[in-house]
Amino acid sequence: MKMTDIAIIGAGAAGLSAALSARDTNINITIIEREDSLGGILNQCIHNGFGLHHFKEELTGPEYAERLIKDLNEEGIDIIKESTVIDIKKQDQFVITTSSEQHGYEHITAKAVIIASGCYERTRGALQIPGERPKGIMTAGSAQRYLNMDGYLVGKRVFILGSGDIGLIMARRMTLEGAKVLGVAELMPYSNGLTRNIVQCLDDFDIPLYLSHTVTMIHGKDRLESIVISKVDEKFQPISGTEKTFEVDTLLLSVGLIPDIDQFSILDVDKDGRTKSARVDQHLMSNIPGLFFCGNALHVHDLVDWVSDEGAKAGRFAKDYVLGKYPKSMDHKDLVVGQNVRYVVPQKIDMSARDESIDLMFRVTKKMLKGKLIARQGDHIIAQKIANYLAPAEMEHLTIKPNDWISNEPITLEVEEIS
């Protein structure tokens, strides 16, 4: 049985950043990665646009990953590749069971665990799209991996359902490789991707975006032959008479990402119904002491830079936990979600740690040209700032500093739209 102080599950941007932040001469760190290489989803994202915040320059996904891996290798942190976590239990310490082709079943004990396992894409089965079940329907991320890592173009006439960032980026990528992208349909009345991706991936290539539309029928026997999209009403029900038919051989789905934490459900982690992941405090620790979550395993981010920053926090807090600094108490109070806020992380506050700054990360419920981000205790505003061009697809931040607190009351986060 292997023993370590901190076990990090996942070696994408979050896991690598957590390891770099947790490094200490008095602490042993072990990274467990199911793939044969480090970097996670970054390895298949060959477009640029990464690192502007974290590294202060524009990088491709593989370049961004290489920066983290290079620093990691210099630290001599223990890395286990091609090994899948199949079970995790909490006794006096955590006991992690892994499975690999080379070593079979192995057990690792750890004082603290950081879950940085990323997220997965919703599939056709989750959407229940009516029609036949031909080949040619897949998630946008799968198509990205096939094209960018395996060199395989999955189709020539393509339609994309959902305007998530991976779908938008694949619209451009498929076009550059010679495919014809006939359009992108989005169920919501606004795009779920970054504004820059709408402009650079759709507008620049004259690819139409059908807002308030969804796929209502699929035709094809062995291979996809055509799809039908329809406009939807305010209750997201198809409107008769609005059907449009497209002859395509490929339908890519970019309809949402879900934190990949199902294998850890045996730990009975308290979950947030909005993020579909753990409820954590400002130290990114769940209701189970020593179990931390970060990156897309905690909530789906719009920028990998925020993933790295959050992973670094998790690593720092896990190190402090191993060194006996956390939790200061179990006196937690829920952070209240107010008007125009879809969700916020953290969801609860360790009230005994008010000597630290707290970075609130959240998404709004609708597009706004201008809004005021407000944190309050009772009737007292303790932190606020003005933000322009708010959108559900883009993460917002508000920091509460130690001298902002006025009492031990719960905090409410809200956004006021400014006309």
Side-chain angles (χ1 to χ4, degrees):
M1 179 178 289
K2 178 179 177 62
M3 302 179 66
T4 191
D5 292 312
I6 300 175
I8 301 173
I9 300 175
L16 296 175
S17 299
L20 291 171
S21 178
R23 56 192 174 188
D24 188 287
T25 55
N26 298 314
I27 290 179
N28 296 316
I29 301 171
T30 300
I31 299 176
I32 306 168
E33 169 56 45
R34 62 188 172 194
E35 299 289 341
D36 60 359
S37 60
L38 308 180
I41 195 71
L42 287 167
N43 292 322
Q44 68 187 56
C45 299
I46 64 174
H47 53 280
N48 59 11
F50 300 90
L52 289 171
H53 296 276
H54 195 73
F55 290 113
K56 308 304 179 186
E57 60 179 300
E58 192 171 28
L59 305 169
T60 66
E63 289 173 335
Y64 188 105
E66 185 60 31
R67 294 284 182 92
L68 298 174
I69 294 168
K70 180 181 178 181
D71 290 342
L72 191 75
N73 289 338
E74 292 175 354
E75 292 303 320
I77 296 170
D78 189 24
I79 301 170
I80 302 173
K81 300 179 184 178
E82 296 184 275
S83 185
T84 301
V85 174
I86 60 174
D87 191 21
I88 180 170
K89 293 182 173 66
K90 177 72 184 290
Q91 300 171 357
D92 291 336
Q93 298 187 14
F94 292 93
V95 179
I96 303 167
T97 302
T98 65
S99 176
S100 67
E101 183 177 357
Q102 182 176 2
H103 300 292
Y105 293 111
E106 292 186 304
H107 300 287
I108 300 170
T109 63
K111 298 175 182 176
V113 174
I114 300 174
I115 307 298
S117 49
C119 56
Y120 62 89
E121 298 175 281
R122 296 179 70 203
T123 63
R124 180 187 176 182
L127 301 177
Q128 299 182 333
I129 303 173
E132 297 169 282
R133 305 188 65 82
K135 298 176 182 177
I137 303 172
M138 68 184 68
T139 62
S142 295
Q144 184 183 58
R145 183 180 179 93
Y146 282 134
L147 182 55
N148 293 347
M149 300 189 72
D150 301 329
Y152 179 70
L153 185 65
V154 298
K156 293 295 184 67
R157 291 180 61 83
V158 182
F159 198 93
I160 298 173
L161 175 60
S163 60
D165 287 310
I166 297 178
L168 298 176
I169 289 166
M170 282 306 295
R172 176 180 62 186
R173 186 78 178 94
M174 297 286 284
T175 300
L176 291 173
E177 288 298 324
K180 176 64 176 177
V181 179
L182 281 74
V184 176
E186 169 57 53
L187 182 68
M188 303 301 291
Y190 51 80
S191 170
N192 280 304
L194 294 171
T195 301
R196 74 182 188 197
N197 286 333
I198 296 293
V199 174
Q200 297 173 3
C201 301
L202 298 187
D203 295 349
D204 288 355
F205 294 90
D206 296 322
I207 298 172
L209 173 61
Y210 299 92
L211 297 175
S212 297
H213 279 75
T214 191
V215 174
T216 51
M217 185 57 67
I218 290 173
H219 297 291
K221 295 183 179 179
D222 295 328
R223 178 79 188 193
L224 179 63
E225 298 172 3
S226 67
I227 64 165
V228 178
I229 70 170
S230 302
K231 189 174 180 62
V232 298
D233 59 23
E234 64 277 2
K235 296 182 179 180
F236 306 116
Q237 297 302 308
I239 301 172
S240 179
T242 64
E243 297 85 359
K244 297 182 180 69
T245 300
F246 296 87
E247 294 183 358
V248 295
D249 58 23
T250 304
L251 174 64
L252 300 185
L253 306 177
S254 180
V255 289
L257 301 169
I258 301 172
D260 189 7
I261 66 165
D262 288 346
Q263 65 269 47
F264 311 119
S265 59
I266 192 170
L267 288 172
D268 197 24
V269 176
D270 287 345
K271 291 185 179 180
D272 186 315
R274 296 181 182 91
T275 64
K276 310 300 182 185
S277 185
R279 299 178 75 249
V280 297
D281 63 15
Q282 69 266 44
H283 306 127
L284 302 178
M285 187 162 64
S286 68
N287 61 302
I288 299 175
L291 183 65
F292 299 81
F293 289 76
C294 63
N296 288 342
L298 178 58
H299 59 128
V300 177
H301 295 61
D302 53 342
L303 295 178
V304 71
D305 303 71
W306 307 145
V307 170
S308 285
D309 289 351
E310 193 171 78
K313 290 179 183 178
R316 185 171 70 252
F317 292 137
K319 176 174 64 176
D320 288 343
Y321 174 84
V322 170
L323 295 175
K325 296 182 181 180
Y326 296 117
K328 292 186 176 180
S329 77
M330 294 307 289
D331 178 23
H332 289 86
K333 291 189 177 179
D334 288 348
L335 199 153
V336 181
V337 174
Q339 64 174 340
N340 296 322
V341 176
R342 181 182 169 196
Y343 75 81
V344 62
V345 172
Q347 294 92 346
K348 55 186 178 179
I349 305 295
D350 179 353
M351 302 302 288
S352 66
R354 288 181 290 163
D355 56 335
E356 309 166 9
S357 293
I358 300 174
D359 183 28
L360 305 181
M361 301 184 67
F362 60 97
R363 294 183 187 272
V364 296
T365 57
K366 64 179 181 179
K367 281 191 172 184
M368 289 177 259
L369 290 177
K370 181 180 287 189
K372 182 186 292 186
L373 317 182
I374 300 172
R376 67 170 73 244
Q377 289 185 293
D379 295 329
H380 299 277
I381 294 176
I382 61 173
Q384 63 179 318
K385 72 176 183 180
I386 301 297
N388 296 318
Y389 307 111
L390 292 84
E394 301 187 22
M395 195 75 65
E396 300 295 335
H397 299 253
L398 183 63
T399 299
I400 300 175
K401 299 177 181 179
N403 58 0
D404 291 336
W405 297 81
I406 62 169
S407 69
N408 202 38
E409 292 183 68
I411 296 173
T412 297
L413 175 68
E414 61 189 29
V415 177
E416 291 183 1
E417 185 171 9
I418 299 175
S419 57

